[in-house]
Amino acid sequence: MTQTIVMLQSLDGLRRYLRTQERQLTETFTFLPAGALARSFPGEEITAVISDMMSLVNKVSVTRHLVDGRLQKLTVTVRYRPCVRMLTAWKTGRRASLTVQEQQALQTADALVRSIRAKRSDYLEQLYLLYSYVGGAIRYRSAPGSSRSDAFWRYTDCNSVLMHREGNCQGHSEVMYLCGSMLGFTMGIQCGDSGGEGHCWNTVSFGRCTYAMDATAKVKGEEKNPTLKNTIHFLMGQREAAENGLYCTPVQQVAPLTPCLAPEHDIYRILGVDFPGADEAARYAWKQYLTGEARVQLRISARGMTLKAFSAAMKRAAAEPAMQEAIFRNRSGSLGYSVDGIAKVNALYVTVTWKG
């Protein structure tokens, strides 16, 4: 019996077809580009398009089958990212299909997920805790060499990144994908561009809302202190992603983002660390210090707010008689703190870290 070859005539048709293959984790499949699709990509360019559209794979090879010089079909073979295979093994209980290192890494991920569930019951706080871990405990490292080198995959593959706690943007995204999915979230991996360089981040969906999430986003000083993260990149709609310089082509796009972050998904509001002015934010920061917090992250939702203005508010708050007395009673040894953050048009995102 002659096998019927799937004929695809448009990019949208190809996208739908490839999404089906990804959902089914198909490793080898065939189709024939026709019509506008064949005219747009008559040669080997189709391989790059497939790679862009299938964000859950890290290797694509395409074989062209010709008869009398005419293309009859394409056979596509893909290799799924380790995070995808590890998630499948976790869901099915079939861990024997994984390498020894992947099995060990999956145990690490399982322990992390159980710990997060034990610490937080709210679903969004669980995701935020995971995001904070991935961004803080896994140090960012640029992958050296080409994709053929072991050093490259050390910083890229989920299993290696979990074990060594070092990874590039792909490695961070794979860990977020695996652990976020284990927590029950609908996760995706998005490839694109940030600041003129190739970049990789995640998507996460809540019902009809889909957001970008970048666990490798850095703020000033993070190179010296990898645990210093700013949560402006935690959940981003189209507006926030554009403000933070994340870009992907229509071909690369995993899923359309919600226009902007909805209030019910705003972690600053949920955690009670969103303030209308610098003085209110500074008083909150000092009160957190008095309870023993070594670091606090907050947002001041005021147009044109600067780090300089907030630093001045921190000094004013500390000089208030009641606050000054409380700080003096609590103080042991020298007292110092640093203020880092990112100023946007409508908000200032701040991290205060106390020393000593």
Side-chain angles (χ1 to χ4, degrees):
M1 180 180 295
T2 303
Q3 182 182 12
T4 302
I5 302 298
V6 175
M7 187 175 296
L8 303 174
Q9 303 199 30
S10 66
L11 273 175
D12 285 342
L14 176 61
R15 185 192 308 277
R16 290 191 295 270
Y17 178 71
L18 295 179
R19 292 284 166 78
T20 298
Q21 307 312 311
E22 271 193 330
R23 284 195 298 271
Q24 298 173 351
L25 299 181
T26 309
E27 296 182 348
T28 301
F29 49 89
T30 60
F31 70 93
L32 176 63
L37 183 63
R39 291 192 296 272
S40 298
F41 306 100
E44 299 297 329
E45 302 94 334
I46 194 72
T47 302
V49 175
I50 294 171
S51 181
D52 281 344
M53 287 187 170
M54 299 188 75
S55 65
L56 297 184
V57 308
N58 58 13
K59 184 177 181 181
V60 177
S61 62
V62 177
T63 301
R64 299 167 59 84
H65 301 270
L66 303 173
V67 174
D68 296 331
R70 296 186 62 181
L71 181 65
Q72 303 298 304
K73 65 179 180 179
L74 299 178
T75 297
V76 182
T77 302
V78 301
R79 181 181 66 184
Y80 287 90
R81 296 178 182 270
C83 60
V84 177
R85 294 185 286 102
M86 291 165 68
L87 179 62
T88 300
W90 179 79
K91 287 180 175 179
T92 61
R94 299 173 181 172
R95 304 192 181 197
S97 61
L98 303 176
T99 66
V100 173
Q101 187 183 46
E102 287 172 344
Q103 292 181 42
Q104 292 173 341
L106 189 55
Q107 289 178 352
T108 299
D110 209 4
L112 173 61
V113 167
R114 289 198 304 270
S115 174
I116 289 173
R117 285 201 176 107
K119 292 177 180 177
R120 297 288 187 273
S121 58
D122 179 82
Y123 77 103
L124 205 58
E125 290 187 28
Q126 288 181 350
L127 185 63
Y128 176 64
L129 197 58
L130 172 62
Y131 171 88
S132 300
Y133 170 83
V134 173
I138 299 175
R139 183 183 288 271
Y140 181 81
R141 287 283 188 265
S142 296
S146 70
S147 60
R148 296 180 180 179
S149 68
D150 291 338
F152 179 88
W153 296 112
R154 171 188 169 91
Y155 297 125
T156 302
D157 284 356
C158 177
N159 53 307
S160 180
V161 175
L162 273 168
M163 299 304 294
H164 297 104
R165 295 189 179 183
E166 294 182 320
N168 66 353
C169 59
Q170 292 184 60
H172 281 73
S173 298
E174 285 208 14
V175 174
M176 279 299 311
Y177 177 89
L178 172 63
C179 297
S181 298
M182 291 169 71
L183 281 169
F185 295 97
T186 302
M187 305 293 299
I189 294 177
Q190 178 66 69
C191 298
D193 179 275
S194 177
E197 297 181 351
H199 192 46
C200 192
W201 60 95
N202 293 100
T203 62
V204 58
S205 298
F206 310 105
R208 295 183 178 181
C209 293
T210 298
Y211 301 114
M213 173 191 296
D214 188 1
T216 60
K218 295 194 284 288
V219 297
K220 181 182 177 182
E222 189 194 344
E223 290 76 10
K224 295 181 180 179
N225 184 355
T227 63
L228 178 59
K229 304 297 294 186
N230 193 291
T231 52
I232 186 174
H233 300 90
F234 173 51
L235 294 178
M236 298 171 281
Q238 289 179 8
R239 184 185 68 189
E240 293 84 9
E243 288 176 351
N244 290 308
L246 297 182
Y247 170 78
C248 64
T249 67
V251 170
Q252 291 173 310
Q253 189 177 64
V254 171
L257 300 181
T258 299
C260 61
L261 183 62
E264 63 268 26
H265 299 138
D266 187 337
I267 195 65
Y268 287 92
R269 294 189 182 188
I270 292 170
L271 296 178
V273 290
D274 178 47
F275 301 92
D279 290 316
E280 298 94 329
R283 291 190 190 97
Y284 172 85
W286 279 113
K287 289 177 181 177
Q288 292 302 108
Y289 163 73
L290 293 173
T291 63
E293 291 291 333
R295 179 180 294 110
V296 61
Q297 292 178 313
L298 48 86
R299 179 178 67 195
I300 305 170
S301 297
R303 190 176 181 84
M305 181 59 61
T306 65
L307 276 176
K308 184 177 180 180
F310 175 74
S311 296
M314 285 288 290
K315 293 179 180 179
R316 287 196 301 271
E320 294 175 356
M323 187 70 73
Q324 192 174 48
E325 182 181 352
I327 293 172
F328 182 80
R329 288 198 309 267
N330 188 75
R331 179 177 174 178
S332 59
S334 61
L335 173 64
Y337 62 89
S338 63
V339 177
D340 294 293
I342 300 175
K344 296 294 181 177
V345 174
N346 296 310
L348 175 69
Y349 297 82
V350 177
T351 300
V352 182
T353 305
W354 278 272
K355 304 172 183 177

